[in-house]
Amino acid sequence: LERNAGRYALWSYDPGWRNLHAKILVIDGRLGIVTSANLNWRSFLHDTENGVAILDPGIAARLTRQAERWIAVSERVAPGEGNPLGRALLALPWLLQYF
């Protein structure tokens, strides 16, 4: 995220006692994806992840509304304010193969 900070917006959402680890993606208002996978090599090559892709404008709209509700109660994270440990790890090129 840090390398492409100008292309993405990041919000920090704290669900309190709940553990939310799902990722949602809506493409063209028609395709909705809900998954546990992180967008890194480890999730794609080493971990066992699952998800669902649904081609339905109604579901895509519901996912968009849910994301907007989470964003409304989240804090925007500015580029450079991310995880310092993550930045330090990204500085080690040999380590990137594991992420």
Side-chain angles (χ1 to χ4, degrees):
L1 206 77
E2 292 291 329
R3 287 182 292 190
N4 297 293
R7 299 176 60 195
Y8 304 100
L10 178 65
W11 286 268
S12 176
Y13 171 68
D14 182 0
W17 60 271
R18 293 179 220 116
N19 185 10
L20 176 68
H21 193 70
K23 287 81 175 177
I24 63 173
L25 177 66
V26 177
I27 301 171
D28 291 337
R30 298 182 314 141
L31 176 64
I33 300 170
V34 180
T35 183
S36 64
N38 293 311
L39 296 177
N40 61 30
W41 286 113
R42 182 171 182 85
S43 284
F44 295 130
L45 300 176
H46 302 288
D47 296 341
T48 301
E49 305 283 356
N50 62 37
V52 62
I54 304 166
L55 186 59
D56 179 274
I59 297 293
R62 288 176 64 186
L63 289 172
T64 299
R65 287 191 300 272
Q66 181 59 58
E68 290 169 346
R69 284 192 291 272
W70 285 328
I71 289 169
V73 295
S74 298
E75 292 183 31
R76 180 79 184 264
V77 178
E81 288 183 2
N83 183 335
L85 176 60
R87 282 195 304 278
L89 293 174
L90 284 174
L92 305 171
W94 63 269
L95 193 59
L96 291 179
Q97 66 183 323
Y98 300 107
F99 294 95

